[in-house]
Amino acid sequence: MISMNRYTLAILVRNQFGVLNRVTSMFRRRRFNINCLTVSETEDTAYSRITVLFEGDDNHKRQLVSQLYKLPDVVSVREFEREETVSSELLLIKMANVHDDREEILDAANAFDAQIMDYSRESIVMQMTGESRRIDDFIELMRDFEILEICRTGVVSLERGSSVMRNVTKL
Amino acid sequence: MVLKGADILVRSLIDQGCEVVFGYPGGSVIDIYDSLYRYQDEITHILTSHEQHAAHAADGYARATGKVGVCIATSGPGCTNLVTGIATAFLDSVPLVAITGNVATANIGTDGFQEIDITGITLPITKHNYFVSDISELADVVREAFEIASSDRPGPVLVDIAKDVQVDRYDYQRRNPVVPDPREAAGDEGLAQAATIINNAKRPFIYVGGGALASEATKEVIALSEAIDAPIGNSLMATSLIPSDTPRFLGLEGMHGHYSSTMAIKEADCIIALGARFNDRSTGDRTKFARKAKVVRIDIDESELSKTVSGKVDLHGDVKLTLQRLYPLIKPQERPDWAARIAELKEFEAENADVREGMTPKNVMLAVNEHLEPEMTVTTDVGQHQMWAAQYLRFARPRTFLTSGGLGTMGFGMGAAIGAHFGTNKRSVLVIGDGGFAMCLNDLATAVTNKVPLTVILLNNSVLGMVRQWQRLFYEERFSNTTLDKRVTDYVALAKAFGAGAQRVTTTDELGPALEEAFASDTPYLVECVIDKDELVMPMLPPGGTLDDIIVRLGD
Ligand SMILES: Cc1ncc(C[n+]2csc(CCOP(=O)(O)OP(=O)(O)O)c2C)c(N)n1
Ligand SMILES: [Mg+2]
């Protein structure tokens, strides 16, 4: 059987009108299943950086990368292996502030280094940054209580060491 | 020198070496048409009857010459009319630059009169597209569009230009045409491995596709075939790449391919696929295709290599250049057992050939062969007639058979025939069905106006034959909406109304003289060939079936 893996790709693109549309349109058309996608400007305003997390097999990944390289606005695509990558994500979570739960919620927040951003009689808003898996774990814990709202940024990644994407134009 | 935006566009086209463009004017491109008027000594504009046919004409020009074809349309309905033509070029990897006008930058996004998001609409059917709202970028965008359209795997590029950009003025510097980066051959790594597989093969088969045609690899393919004593089969897109009389050439493979070609690829232990993408029309059920064969593939587009049938060795590079590097590693050898088997397959094919007399599609095609000359371009529409043309017409030079393979666009043939003529300055021969003719007959006017030496072979079976064939074979003869025999269209009168010559032919006795006259005419001439509505394209692989399910003749 084909084994499904999770891949993290960083895509450096020319910072042009509609680039995100081109990239996502390609994903849609070829039915690549994207778990998460983030975009932002980079150190050089001429480029934006897209980080994509997706599930598939090796053939899917090859296909995705070669289709990406066919878009003239794509400058560079890198696959990030977990060990060689620094990845992080930000979570905002709003909990109901219920007397019986409060202590446990705050204990958990403490253990996960989540910060309290807003505290009112009805609710507590917390912020947490870190690896996606830790964020998943924290949310899992919070499910024992009443979650009012969750918002995550999606993961962003950089390679460890001095390697710079701009200078590498082929995977 | 300081020029108006529209002049910058037209000058850039001229400086790219573009001599002819096809299009249709309108409010959002009126400035561009004003510039075309100004520069008419340096660039010719051909007015079609419909923007779709302008796109097909630019496409036909590109397919016939290998150069970039250019079409122009106005905003709104003008550019949406281009869409089918752009998609046709996209699926067949044809270098095309489509230029459209749009409303002024300030009005973009307000749903003004004839404003449409054409860059959004064409996103999935172009290699790339641009919306130009800054005149300082215009000349570079045009150059880049030509470069992208013609580099690596060619394809269409759309340039949408805001009205104000066409009117504004800016400095223009003449530049030489951009020469796309030379295509590259595959690296050494896979070459040795590929050579080993080929050298050890007992039954190698060379399968050529559109990519081999784009790379103009005729000589290299034939040299390989001679060295390793391997038969050659082609996909629909590669028809005319290999001259029909080449030894070891078996012709079209796939859904309606020649029996020998389709069976040989099935029995091969090594398939050398050159710029062929193993479309489902070529392979039948892909999961069962060539499971025992080792596949060596060469393709300029890396994404094709991981898309469908995965090869034993994938060589990413230009077909022609990679073959040149592969050749020295190949051990020339004869393969008498394999050659004998191929001879058997050909014999079976010959024994089962259609030998009926009378106005059969095959006999019409054979009669056309009598008049075809090497430099003439044949274009087809889509349907049964397209397959008969691909099966029976004979070609001597590459780029002389133009057909919509990937998208299968009815209405393609007329525009393509007109465009091909402007690229080659030679006769175009259009083979078309009665259904498709109704989709593009209005552009007979363009052919007549421009005195195009165009021979139209209208295969009139009074039905949408290809769909009817499926209804007959797979839908228990429920002929839903495929019978046109209640139409009373008088095709001869119709052609004459456009100013073309025409004859109707119902017997083989009339056929020869009619073709004689048609091929002697310097202006458009239509020969309506009346054939039976129950003619079938054979052999046939049932859709979704495997190469084992080939139907050679009905009743077998
Ligand atoms: C624009 C378009 N519409 C519909 C089809 C589907 N289609 C494929 S072949 C065919 C029949 C074509 O009939 P005709 O032009 O008479 O050619 P024949 O098959 O009879 O030779 C149709 C309707 C198509 N390929 N393109
Ligand atoms: Mg018909």
Side-chain angles (χ1 to χ4, degrees):
Chain A
M1 262 323 287
I2 333 161
S3 64
M4 296 290 268
N5 295 318
R6 207 171 230 238
Y7 299 94
T8 307
L9 294 181
I11 310 161
L12 197 66
V13 296
R14 288 201 272 182
N15 187 4
Q16 302 256 7
F17 252 113
V19 174
L20 181 60
N21 198 359
R22 286 178 203 283
V23 171
T24 53
S25 165
M26 194 276 287
F27 292 160
R28 177 188 57 78
R29 194 160 83 77
R30 312 249 174 217
R31 304 196 52 152
F32 289 120
N33 207 352
I34 301 299
N35 298 87
C36 150
L37 183 147
T38 59
V39 207
S40 63
E41 275 194 358
T42 63
E43 69 285 356
D44 180 343
T45 52
Y47 301 107
S48 297
R49 185 179 179 114
I50 301 176
T51 311
V52 167
L53 227 82
F54 85 104
E55 256 161 42
D57 58 39
D58 236 37
N59 208 38
H60 281 128
K61 185 198 69 190
R62 263 180 74 191
Q63 179 64 205
L64 184 84
V65 172
S66 47
Q67 292 292 356
L68 279 170
Y69 270 121
K70 284 164 70 172
L71 301 174
D73 286 332
V74 169
V75 178
S76 175
V77 184
R78 303 282 292 155
E79 183 191 348
F80 284 168
E81 308 283 351
R82 216 180 122 72
E83 313 79 62
E84 294 153 20
T85 315
V86 186
S87 292
S88 187
E89 186 180 355
L90 186 146
L91 163 80
L92 290 175
I93 184 166
K94 187 186 288 179
M95 304 298 300
N97 193 351
V98 182
H99 179 269
D100 288 350
D101 298 342
R102 186 178 303 143
E103 201 169 326
E104 278 187 73
I105 292 176
L106 294 178
D107 279 352
N110 204 11
F112 276 81
D113 276 338
Q115 294 158 267
I116 312 296
M117 306 300 286
D118 183 56
Y119 193 100
S120 67
R121 219 165 281 136
E122 290 81 32
S123 67
I124 307 171
V125 178
M126 293 174 288
Q127 166 186 308
M128 172 183 168
T129 54
E131 286 211 14
S132 301
R133 204 168 300 179
R134 260 176 63 82
I135 291 183
D136 293 343
D137 291 346
F138 183 61
I139 293 173
E140 212 32 59
L141 268 184
M142 289 299 108
R143 288 201 194 283
D144 291 347
F145 316 110
E146 192 189 345
I147 299 174
L148 297 176
E149 272 185 316
I150 283 180
C151 180
R152 303 172 69 153
T153 57
V155 69
V156 290
S157 305
L158 283 180
E159 244 176 322
R160 293 182 190 276
S162 60
S163 141
V164 174
M165 253 192 102
R166 242 179 309 131
N167 306 333
V168 190
T169 52
K170 217 56 185 147
L171 185 74
Chain B
M1 94 193 111
V2 174
L3 294 178
K4 233 180 99 167
D7 288 344
I8 292 180
L9 167 71
V10 175
R11 281 252 53 107
S12 308
L13 292 176
I14 295 168
D15 293 342
Q16 284 303 309
C18 173
E19 290 164 351
V20 53
V21 296
F22 306 87
Y24 209 94
S28 300
V29 287
I30 195 164
D31 290 277
I32 297 174
Y33 276 79
D34 195 45
S35 302
L36 286 167
Y37 186 87
R38 187 163 314 128
Y39 295 115
Q40 59 184 293
D41 293 340
E42 291 171 82
I43 189 165
T44 306
H45 177 272
I46 302 298
L47 175 67
T48 56
S49 299
H50 190 291
E51 289 88 350
Q52 182 180 339
H53 306 149
H56 292 323
D59 172 318
Y61 173 93
R63 290 185 204 230
T65 59
K67 294 194 272 188
V68 176
V70 178
C71 59
I72 303 179
T74 192
S75 64
C79 57
T80 55
N81 271 351
L82 289 181
V83 169
T84 300
I86 295 172
T88 303
F90 184 69
L91 281 196
D92 286 346
S93 311
V94 176
L96 185 85
V97 170
I99 290 164
T100 54
N102 212 328
V103 298
T105 313
N107 296 333
I108 289 284
T110 63
D111 299 322
F113 179 64
Q114 293 191 334
E115 185 202 344
I116 201 84
D117 174 16
I118 194 63
T119 47
I121 289 175
T122 56
L123 198 65
I125 53 167
T126 48
K127 238 180 124 176
H128 195 51
N129 63 24
Y130 301 86
F131 173 64
V132 185
S133 58
D134 178 349
I135 191 169
S136 70
E137 294 172 356
L138 180 57
D140 280 337
V141 163
V142 175
R143 292 175 193 127
E144 203 174 279
F146 271 71
E147 185 175 356
I148 290 174
S150 54
S151 60
D152 294 332
R153 178 180 185 167
V157 178
L158 179 127
V159 181
D160 190 30
I161 308 171
K163 172 90 179 174
D164 49 315
V165 170
Q166 300 171 34
V167 180
D168 288 350
R169 301 175 70 81
Y170 196 74
D171 184 48
Y172 177 70
Q173 300 294 334
R174 193 180 176 278
R175 296 250 196 90
N176 288 331
V178 282
V179 185
D181 288 342
R183 296 190 172 85
E184 284 173 26
D188 290 329
E189 201 180 321
L191 281 177
Q193 218 184 333
T196 308
I197 290 178
I198 295 169
N199 290 337
N200 293 333
K202 293 198 168 64
R203 299 182 302 280
F205 183 91
I206 302 173
Y207 178 50
V208 291
L213 191 94
S215 147
E216 309 193 327
T218 303
K219 236 179 54 199
E220 288 73 12
V221 172
I222 294 176
L224 177 68
S225 158
E226 283 170 356
I228 66 173
D229 199 6
I232 310 170
N234 64 275
S235 76
L236 184 64
M237 288 307 298
T239 309
S240 84
L241 171 72
I242 307 297
S244 305
D245 56 9
T246 306
R248 301 184 191 79
F249 178 58
L250 301 179
L252 186 65
E253 183 276 344
M255 180 173 272
H256 291 300
H258 290 285
Y259 178 82
S260 56
S261 196
T262 308
M263 294 312 279
I265 201 170
K266 183 177 98 96
E267 295 180 11
D269 65 348
C270 164
I271 299 171
I272 305 162
L274 307 173
R277 61 192 178 91
F278 293 107
N279 177 276
D280 54 292
R281 284 290 182 270
S282 308
T283 61
D285 182 350
R286 228 178 244 155
T287 57
K288 303 206 177 89
F289 177 75
R291 266 190 303 192
K292 292 196 200 95
K294 295 186 170 160
V295 183
V296 173
R297 290 198 299 189
I298 306 180
D299 207 296
I300 188 76
D301 181 354
E302 202 167 5
S303 71
E304 283 305 339
L305 297 171
S306 52
K307 206 192 281 174
T308 52
V309 177
S310 61
K312 257 278 180 303
V313 182
D314 288 338
L315 301 176
H316 173 216
D318 177 75
V319 171
K320 183 191 183 94
L321 300 178
T322 305
L323 280 182
Q324 285 171 354
R325 298 197 52 200
L326 181 63
Y327 193 80
L329 309 178
I330 295 293
K331 202 165 77 214
Q333 53 183 308
E334 286 182 2
R335 292 176 160 90
D337 292 348
W338 182 222
R341 176 62 188 148
I342 299 294
E344 256 173 49
L345 292 172
K346 280 169 86 167
E347 203 168 305
F348 180 88
E349 183 175 321
E351 282 165 8
N352 286 277
D354 175 0
V355 291
R356 291 170 299 154
E357 296 191 349
M359 282 292 280
T360 63
K362 180 178 178 184
N363 289 339
V364 175
M365 290 301 124
L366 297 186
V368 170
N369 273 336
E370 300 290 309
H371 298 272
L372 275 187
E373 281 166 30
E375 74 284 357
M376 295 179 187
T377 311
V378 174
T379 73
T380 77
D381 215 66
V382 170
Q384 290 182 310
H385 63 277
Q386 174 189 30
M387 295 301 136
W388 290 319
Q391 289 176 336
Y392 299 122
L393 292 183
R394 298 180 66 79
F395 302 95
R397 288 188 197 166
R399 301 192 179 282
T400 54
F401 180 80
L402 317 184
T403 200
S404 167
L407 197 64
T409 308
M410 284 172 73
F412 168 79
M414 178 72 77
I418 293 170
H421 163 72
F422 283 99
T424 60
N425 205 23
K426 296 291 188 291
R427 176 175 304 276
S428 288
V429 179
L430 165 62
V431 180
I432 192 165
D434 45 336
F437 187 61
M439 289 198 182
C440 56
L441 60 89
N442 48 354
D443 258 294
L444 258 187
T446 311
V448 170
T449 311
N450 292 286
K451 299 197 174 59
V452 175
L454 170 69
T455 308
V456 182
I457 310 292
L458 171 63
L459 279 182
N460 184 3
N461 51 5
S462 307
V463 285
L464 301 176
M466 187 54 98
V467 180
R468 183 185 158 93
Q469 173 163 347
W470 286 45
Q471 290 172 334
R472 170 141 174 223
L473 297 177
F474 313 117
Y475 291 84
E476 292 160 341
E477 308 202 354
R478 290 186 296 276
F479 296 130
S480 174
N481 290 279
T482 49
T483 314
L484 309 176
D485 58 5
K486 294 210 177 57
R487 284 189 185 171
V488 295
T489 314
D490 180 340
Y491 291 104
V492 172
L494 182 92
K496 288 187 172 158
F498 279 104
Q503 271 191 60
R504 176 180 158 94
V505 171
T506 56
T507 66
T508 41
D509 287 345
E510 298 162 345
L511 186 57
L515 290 175
E516 195 78 46
E517 190 159 346
F519 277 85
S521 170
D522 290 337
T523 51
Y525 198 106
L526 177 140
V527 181
E528 177 191 356
C529 303
V530 180
I531 59 170
D532 192 84
K533 63 180 187 306
D534 287 319
E535 291 287 350
L536 294 172
V537 182
M538 285 292 149
M540 178 171 196
L541 300 175
T546 71
L547 302 186
D548 286 317
D549 304 325
I550 189 166
I551 308 170
V552 180
R553 266 190 319 209
L554 213 56
D556 286 359

